[in-house]
Amino acid sequence: MYNLYFIHCDPNLKHVVVEGKTVWKNPSGYLPGRMAPLMNFYGFMSMAFIILGVFWFSQYARFWREVLPLQNCITFVITLGMFEMALWYFDYAEFNESGIRPVGITIWAVTFGTVKRTVARLIILMVAMGYGVVRPTLGGITSKVAMLGLTFFMASEVLELVENVGAISDLSGKARLFLILPVALLDAFFIIWIFKSLSSTLNKLQLDIYRKFTNALAVAVLVSVGWICYENAWIIPAFWQVLSFSLLCIICVLWAPSQSSMSRSVPEARSAHDSNGSAEADLEEEKTE
């Protein structure tokens, strides 16, 4: 933030009024100091998503006959991530070049990012429930999952629009304090439901892929809680972007399309269900929950 003071001590100038405007520019552009590193960060994240996309789409093209519905959702998230990172980069680049925040690009960047975060959370929740591995559908809880996702999208979209569209300051406004509360509560509900579903799925399936996924989520939550105790200016949004990208990479590795995509889920799921009782009983129990 910049402050400009006009000071005069001559009594004869007490009625002088100064009008006009000042233009402030850093050597690297118009971006405020704490926002400037984000332009390069989103440039690097765009490259990271491109590399992840090359890996994922190559696997997708090789084994397209074996692709599961869950893997189509992952493809959608990767595509959204590519657009989001590119739009944020162009948003900051235009702001840095002209000194004016491009409203249209910001709105698109916010919307792509909000859709990506919502779908990513829903994917993690569905994976935790065993969708695509032991459950062909979510059954009676589909409407509840969809309602949670829609509510989270609306709350996040409003928060991000208020915080970013037209904003040329690197300080958050007072409105953020009120808008961030519902988003935080919905995020907490997502986490509780995810770990509850993972615990139920692991008790029924003892699959190595789910143990790895649970460990990755546990590490992510611990790192998140630890980071809340130490947050630093521009690193705050960068950290959450890196964390979500890391989880997406882990999901892509664990659920990458392959020849065993279909066969991996059926035999293991069948043997696990046989060892823990009938599949029908398990499904009735999940519907009751």
Side-chain angles (χ1 to χ4, degrees):
M1 303 299 294
Y2 304 102
N3 296 285
L4 177 63
Y5 299 93
F6 290 94
I7 301 174
H8 56 84
C9 302
D10 189 342
N12 295 324
L13 299 177
K14 63 180 180 180
H15 297 298
V16 173
V17 177
V18 179
E19 294 182 353
K21 71 174 183 177
T22 61
V23 179
W24 299 80
K25 184 177 182 180
N26 294 314
S28 59
Y30 287 102
L31 281 174
R34 281 182 288 180
M35 297 174 71
L38 287 172
M39 185 176 69
N40 292 331
F41 169 75
Y42 284 116
F44 287 124
M45 287 301 298
S46 297
M47 294 301 300
F49 264 97
I50 290 175
I51 294 172
L52 177 63
V54 169
F55 161 76
W56 182 263
F57 292 130
S58 62
Q59 290 292 106
Y60 194 96
R62 287 178 59 195
F63 305 105
W64 63 273
R65 295 181 182 274
E66 309 291 335
V67 168
L68 302 172
L70 178 64
Q71 291 164 337
N72 288 328
C73 295
I74 296 174
T75 304
F76 183 53
V77 170
I78 294 174
T79 305
L80 287 173
M82 290 180 176
F83 280 105
E84 181 198 6
M85 295 300 110
L87 286 168
W88 277 124
Y89 174 78
F90 289 124
D91 176 57
Y92 282 99
E94 177 65 21
F95 184 13
N96 191 55
E97 181 68 25
S98 65
I100 300 174
R101 195 79 184 263
V103 175
I105 297 178
T106 307
I107 292 176
W108 279 110
V110 165
T111 303
F112 272 99
T114 305
V115 174
K116 187 201 74 176
R117 286 191 296 275
T118 302
V119 176
R121 282 162 174 76
L122 292 176
I123 286 177
I124 293 175
L125 179 59
M126 291 188 296
V127 166
M129 291 177 175
Y131 176 72
V133 177
V134 297
R135 303 177 63 163
T137 66
L138 295 178
I141 59 175
T142 302
S143 59
K144 296 180 181 178
V145 173
M147 183 61 66
L148 177 60
L150 180 61
T151 307
F152 179 83
F153 169 78
M154 294 175 62
S156 298
E157 181 77 357
V158 172
L159 172 63
E160 293 296 326
L161 287 175
V162 171
E163 191 172 29
N164 290 285
V165 176
I168 59 173
S169 169
D170 52 10
L171 298 179
S172 298
K174 295 181 180 180
R176 186 178 191 275
L177 298 176
F178 298 97
L179 296 175
I180 199 173
L181 183 59
V183 177
L185 291 175
L186 290 168
D187 247 339
F189 191 81
F190 260 115
I191 293 173
I192 293 172
W193 198 357
I194 286 169
F195 277 99
K196 183 179 178 181
S197 300
L198 269 176
S199 176
S200 176
T201 303
L202 278 172
N203 287 337
K204 296 170 184 175
L205 293 179
Q206 301 305 320
L207 293 178
D208 184 60
I209 191 174
Y210 272 91
R211 283 193 293 270
K212 293 178 180 178
F213 183 60
T214 303
N215 293 337
L217 280 181
V219 170
V221 171
L222 290 175
V223 172
S224 301
V225 173
W227 183 254
I228 292 174
C229 301
Y230 177 79
E231 292 188 347
N232 186 16
W234 71 271
I235 304 178
I236 298 174
F239 171 80
W240 301 117
Q241 291 283 6
V242 171
L243 183 64
S244 62
F245 178 75
S246 300
L247 281 176
L248 180 60
C249 289
I250 292 172
I251 292 175
C252 287
V253 171
L254 294 178
W255 274 272
S258 64
Q259 285 185 331
S260 59
S261 292
M262 297 296 291
S263 60
R264 178 178 59 189
S265 60
V266 177
E268 291 183 354
R270 184 177 299 158
S271 62
H273 278 295
D274 291 341
S275 62
N276 289 281
S278 66
E280 290 80 3
D282 290 338
L283 186 57
E284 288 299 324
E285 179 184 350
E286 289 167 0
K287 288 183 179 179
T288 303
E289 292 175 356

